[in-house]
Amino acid sequence: MILYHNWQLVDEYLTYRRSKGLTDGTVELDRSCLHHLLQWADATPLKKAPQIEPPFQIYVRALCRAEGVPYSASHRKKILKITRAFLRWLKRSYPSYRRITEAWIDELDIRIQSHKEAKPKGVSLELMRRIAAAPTGSITEERAKFICAFLYLSAMRITAFTTLPLKAVDVEKRQVEQLAKHGVRTKNQTYQTTYLLEVDFLLPIVAQWYEKVAAVLPPSGLLCPAIDPLTHEIYHVSRPSLHRATNFRKQIQRWLAKHELPYVTFHQFRHGYAAFWKARMHSQAERQALIHNMMHKGDALIDSTYGRLTNEQVADFTKRVSLRGVGEGADSNSELAVMKNQLDDLTSSMNSLLEMMNRSQAKNRGRDDEEEGGF
């Protein structure tokens, strides 16, 4: 049983966070994570939290989703990070909670062991083939397959995806407008136009679903719409629920388990996108395009988090690099490859510059025509 006063404190903290201009998605994440703290404390006042057994960080280690799947290490760390921020706010706001020491709060952390062999976080292309080949027995399962395909092709974050309208997507151009004017909820309110991967066995799944939904809903309708559980018909909702992602996750999990396919998180599709791209990337310009499509401000996360190499991949790349230095003419071949990549980067930059100049000239011609017409 959750103590009501503890719940009030969390609710007050969420109100404070909302007053700082944070998005609904961020506040909802705080609420979800702090709910674990409330469940752990049970009927004990939070001011006595250091006395509760087992310690909260041990409790968090054992947490599982409703399906019995353990939370990822990164999500457990996020729960503890949000809890530490909440407790520090509590100490600042209420003198009676200052007995909770900084040393105890600092202990609320989980150290991820780094000595273990790196394992790929992303969905592999082979698994996507199996997902694409899995049969669907209902429109709900058809939607589940579409979600898997689209998330892999787009690298979209789940909140942005669940708020994406039809008019923001052009399947033929492989274009996705993650823009404020379409009501798309993006992380940190970062908006840009991104592009889908060209994967021949996944694009038809996306195109067929788009046509099905577009035949029923207006352009403002959601690409991933609501489905009536009784009639199994698609219907329009003016404002998507904050809990859509949770419902989709459960439906996808049931469908994958039905066909003996492994459990996949939404973010693993994003990791799979990065791994697919990095395995085929040959120039700095292509690297910049990857950063753009993943809606990052820099490349630090691309290297440290997404598409990390396994030991087998590192061994393979080491062998390739080594072979470049063996044999007559190897050095010159390597230099030629570097020069080719530099030339590709220069060509890409020149094309971008020419495109900008053409757009600028077109705008200037338009202004001249307007001025001439005015006379």
Side-chain angles (χ1 to χ4, degrees), residues 202-271:
L202 293 177
L203 284 170
I205 297 172
V206 171
Q208 289 165 16
W209 178 261
Y210 184 93
E211 290 173 4
K212 175 175 285 194
V213 177
V216 178
L217 300 184
S220 60
L222 295 173
L223 176 65
C224 201
I227 296 173
D228 189 296
L230 298 177
T231 64
H232 302 289
E233 294 179 349
I234 293 171
Y235 66 93
H236 180 60
V237 290
S238 57
R239 186 174 181 179
S241 164
L242 290 174
H243 304 289
R244 301 190 81 220
T246 301
N247 296 332
F248 291 158
R249 176 173 55 79
K250 292 177 180 178
Q251 291 167 9
I252 291 171
Q253 170 62 10
R254 284 196 296 268
W255 178 63
L256 292 176
K258 178 179 175 181
H259 298 290
E260 299 182 346
L261 293 169
Y263 175 81
V264 179
T265 67
F266 291 131
H267 214 64
Q268 283 177 312
F269 290 110
R270 189 168 162 84
H271 279 279

Side-chain angles (χ1 to χ4, degrees), residues 89-237:
W89 169 85
L90 205 57
K91 281 167 59 69
R92 292 194 305 269
S93 304
Y94 294 97
S96 61
Y97 285 85
R98 290 176 185 167
R99 68 184 70 179
I100 300 178
T101 65
E102 279 294 321
W104 184 82
I105 294 176
D106 287 340
E107 289 178 0
L108 300 179
D109 199 1
I110 292 176
R111 290 172 178 80
I112 299 177
Q113 297 180 350
S114 59
H115 66 274
K116 293 183 177 180
E117 180 181 344
K119 294 182 179 179
K121 294 182 179 180
V123 180
S124 67
L125 191 62
E126 181 56 37
L127 177 55
M128 289 308 302
R129 288 186 190 278
R130 293 168 61 194
I131 290 174
T136 56
S138 66
I139 190 170
T140 303
E141 291 185 350
E142 189 178 343
R143 181 178 63 183
K145 178 187 280 194
F146 158 74
I147 293 172
C148 294
F150 194 87
L151 290 180
Y152 185 86
L153 293 176
S154 67
M156 285 189 74
R157 294 182 174 92
I158 189 60
T159 303
F161 171 71
T162 57
T163 56
L164 188 69
L166 289 164
K167 61 184 177 183
V169 179
D170 189 326
V171 179
E172 288 187 4
K173 293 182 179 179
R174 316 292 191 244
Q175 182 174 292
V176 182
E177 294 183 344
Q178 300 187 52
L179 306 177
K181 68 179 183 179
H182 296 316
V184 182
R185 298 176 191 157
T186 60
K187 184 176 182 179
N188 299 327
Q189 298 181 341
T190 301
Y191 303 105
Q192 40 195 53
T193 299
T194 58
Y195 297 86
L196 303 177
L197 290 174
E198 296 275 353
V199 181
D200 57 1
F201 61 88
L202 293 177
L203 284 170
I205 297 172
V206 171
Q208 289 165 16
W209 178 261
Y210 184 93
E211 290 173 4
K212 175 175 285 194
V213 177
V216 178
L217 300 184
S220 60
L222 295 173
L223 176 65
C224 201
I227 296 173
D228 189 296
L230 298 177
T231 64
H232 302 289
E233 294 179 349
I234 293 171
Y235 66 93
H236 180 60
V237 290

Side-chain angles (χ1 to χ4, degrees), residues 21-126:
L22 298 174
T23 63
D24 291 342
T26 301
V27 175
E28 189 62 27
L29 177 61
D30 284 357
R31 183 190 303 278
S32 173
C33 290
L34 291 173
H35 185 70
H36 295 298
L37 178 71
L38 295 177
Q39 289 183 314
W40 168 76
D42 198 34
T44 304
L46 285 175
K47 63 180 63 177
K48 296 183 179 180
Q51 303 169 24
I52 300 175
E53 292 291 340
F56 186 56
Q57 63 269 32
I58 303 299
Y59 173 86
V60 170
R61 280 182 182 274
L63 282 176
C64 292
R65 300 184 185 275
E67 302 85 359
V69 179
Y71 283 106
S72 67
S74 60
H75 188 72
R76 293 198 298 269
K77 285 184 72 71
K78 187 169 291 184
I79 292 171
L80 292 170
K81 180 181 178 181
I82 290 172
T83 298
R84 292 195 300 271
F86 164 67
L87 292 173
R88 289 189 171 110
W89 169 85
L90 205 57
K91 281 167 59 69
R92 292 194 305 269
S93 304
Y94 294 97
S96 61
Y97 285 85
R98 290 176 185 167
R99 68 184 70 179
I100 300 178
T101 65
E102 279 294 321
W104 184 82
I105 294 176
D106 287 340
E107 289 178 0
L108 300 179
D109 199 1
I110 292 176
R111 290 172 178 80
I112 299 177
Q113 297 180 350
S114 59
H115 66 274
K116 293 183 177 180
E117 180 181 344
K119 294 182 179 179
K121 294 182 179 180
V123 180
S124 67
L125 191 62
E126 181 56 37

